[in-house]
């Protein structure tokens, strides 16, 4: 495999993995904040309710961002796979990139499910 293509694959894998780790930390912080606020919103009144809504908005933004990131990761994977095939190589070089793309996609899916379940639970408690 050409060094240039290998370097592009390595850079993409590293960047996507870093974005994945960053997203994990951000989501963990937001989920912790949401859980803490949910415990205090009953006693705290409107101020805590506003803070909870703000945290939920942040969760929606993170979910949207991660879904887009997953799509970009797969687009980049497909481009690199095409380039690899065009060069006539049948290498396992893309396995690491494929794995991190899959993890990002699964995390986006899980986060979307969590968000939807949270809002469904919230609507049920308000209704």
């Amino acid at each position: 495999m050409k060094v240039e293509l290998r370097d592009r694959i390595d850079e993409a894998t590293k960047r996507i993995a870093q974005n994945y780790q960053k997203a994990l930390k951000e989501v963990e912080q937001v989920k912790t904040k949401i859980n803490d606020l949910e415990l205090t919103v009953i006693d705290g009144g409107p101020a805590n309710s506003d803070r909870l809504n703000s945290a939920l908005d942040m969760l929606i933004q993170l979910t949207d961002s991660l879904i887009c990131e997953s799509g970009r990761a797969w687009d980049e994977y497909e481009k690199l796979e095409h380039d690899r095939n065009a060069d006539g190589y049948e290498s396992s070089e893309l396995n690491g990139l494929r794995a991190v793309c899959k993890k990002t996609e699964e995390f986006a899916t899980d986060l979307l499910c969590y968000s939807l379940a949270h809002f469904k639970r919230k609507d049920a408690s308000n209704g």
Side-chain angles (χ1 to χ4, degrees), residues 23-39:
L24 277 176
K25 290 176 186 173
E26 289 175 352
V27 168
E28 180 182 11
Q29 291 171 349
V30 171
K31 285 174 65 176
T32 298
K33 185 176 185 175
I34 289 170
N35 290 338
D36 291 347
L37 287 168
E38 284 180 328
L39 294 174

Side-chain angles (χ1 to χ4, degrees), residues 100-124:
V100 76
C101 287
K102 185 75 172 156
K103 281 180 17 178
T104 302
E105 178 182 46
E106 289 172 354
F107 185 43
T109 301
D110 291 348
L111 185 56
L112 182 59
C113 290
Y114 173 84
S115 298
L116 291 173
H118 187 276
F119 288 112
K120 187 174 182 178
R121 191 174 70 236
K122 182 180 175 188
D123 286 344

Side-chain angles (χ1 to χ4, degrees), residues 13-59:
T13 303
K14 181 179 178 181
R15 186 181 65 260
I16 294 167
Q18 287 172 339
N19 290 344
Y20 173 81
Q21 290 301 320
K22 180 181 175 192
L24 277 176
K25 290 176 186 173
E26 289 175 352
V27 168
E28 180 182 11
Q29 291 171 349
V30 171
K31 285 174 65 176
T32 298
K33 185 176 185 175
I34 289 170
N35 290 338
D36 291 347
L37 287 168
E38 284 180 328
L39 294 174
T40 61
V41 75
I42 294 171
D43 297 330
N48 282 335
S49 181
D50 290 344
R51 289 175 50 208
L52 177 59
N53 287 335
S54 176
L56 291 170
D57 288 343
M58 187 179 293
L59 180 64

Side-chain angles (χ1 to χ4, degrees), residues 65-78:
S65 176
L66 193 58
I67 290 168
C68 291
E69 175 65 28
S70 175
R72 284 189 300 269
W74 280 116
D75 288 346
E76 188 161 8
Y77 172 85
E78 289 172 5

